[in-house]
Amino acid sequence: RDSMHKEKELLRNFYSSWAQSVSLYTRWADHYNISYPVLMTLYALYSRGSLTQKNISEFFGLPKQTVHSSVRYLEKRNYISLTPGTRDRREKIIFLTEEGRAYAGELLTPLFEAEENICRTIGIERLEEMINTNDLYNLLFEKEMKRRIKHHD
């Protein structure tokens, strides 16, 4: 009974910690007058190169429609360009334009520097533990979800 109470408390703390991280990145985006999904789309393209909307959606756990809106926003400003995929012509490959790379660099270079300082402070071992634990949690959560939600894709 006591361990059940402790588990619930730990889960609440986990959710709170996760939400706080998203909130901090949202504040970073706000500073540059963009949304969190636009920031994450730029982050993905700048750090990973050309990607599909599906890649970005999976990479950051953002809904496909949200990524689609971010892509439209960036495309209107000539920060990204879309080309048909090689395997599936309907699937567009997104990449930063020269202007987009410069814009993303302005926003992301100080963010990457901040993240690198944080990583050095925390240490590689603790970061790896954190990632492995989070990955395991997500894997187990997905299994539990499939057991409980019948029409899961």
Side-chain angles (χ1 to χ4, degrees):
R1 178 133 178 95
D2 217 25
S3 72
M4 185 94 130
H5 178 73
K6 183 69 178 164
E7 285 170 8
K8 282 183 178 176
E9 185 187 335
L10 286 170
L11 278 173
R12 277 196 306 271
N13 292 343
F14 172 74
Y15 300 140
S16 177
S17 175
W18 174 67
Q20 181 66 29
S21 293
V22 172
S23 173
L24 288 166
Y25 280 89
T26 300
R27 280 171 48 198
W28 191 279
D30 289 346
H31 177 76
Y32 291 96
N33 297 310
I34 58 171
S35 67
Y36 171 76
V38 168
L39 176 67
M40 292 298 105
T41 300
L42 286 169
Y43 194 111
L45 292 168
Y46 195 78
S47 57
R48 302 246 164 156
S50 59
L51 297 165
T52 64
Q53 288 188 36
K54 187 179 181 202
N55 295 148
I56 297 166
S57 177
E58 288 170 356
F59 189 53
F60 286 107
L62 295 168
K64 285 182 190 122
Q65 187 53 51
T66 302
V67 173
H68 181 76
S69 299
S70 298
V71 165
R72 292 287 152 261
Y73 173 90
L74 293 166
E75 191 181 22
K76 273 185 203 156
R77 284 152 185 81
N78 296 317
Y79 291 148
I80 59 168
S81 203
L82 285 77
T83 59
T86 47
R87 277 176 299 189
D88 184 349
R89 308 283 299 162
R90 291 166 306 178
E91 193 171 58
K92 303 284 185 255
I93 308 292
I94 307 157
F95 58 92
L96 290 167
T97 60
E98 209 172 304
E99 199 180 338
R101 270 204 88 63
Y103 174 69
E106 273 177 51
L107 276 75
L108 296 171
T109 301
L111 178 60
F112 292 155
E113 288 168 359
E115 289 174 333
E116 286 163 18
N117 285 339
I118 293 161
C119 290
R120 276 192 293 276
T121 304
I122 292 174
I124 287 174
E125 221 169 274
R126 283 178 71 190
L127 277 172
E128 285 175 342
E129 261 175 53
M130 186 174 83
I131 293 163
N132 291 337
T133 303
N134 225 9
D135 286 349
L136 180 59
Y137 182 90
N138 291 337
L139 181 79
L140 295 172
F141 186 76
E142 190 166 14
K143 276 186 184 173
E144 290 293 332
M145 188 166 64
K146 282 179 178 168
R147 278 184 43 216
R148 288 166 172 75
I149 301 173
K150 300 298 173 229
H151 305 290
H152 179 65
D153 53 17

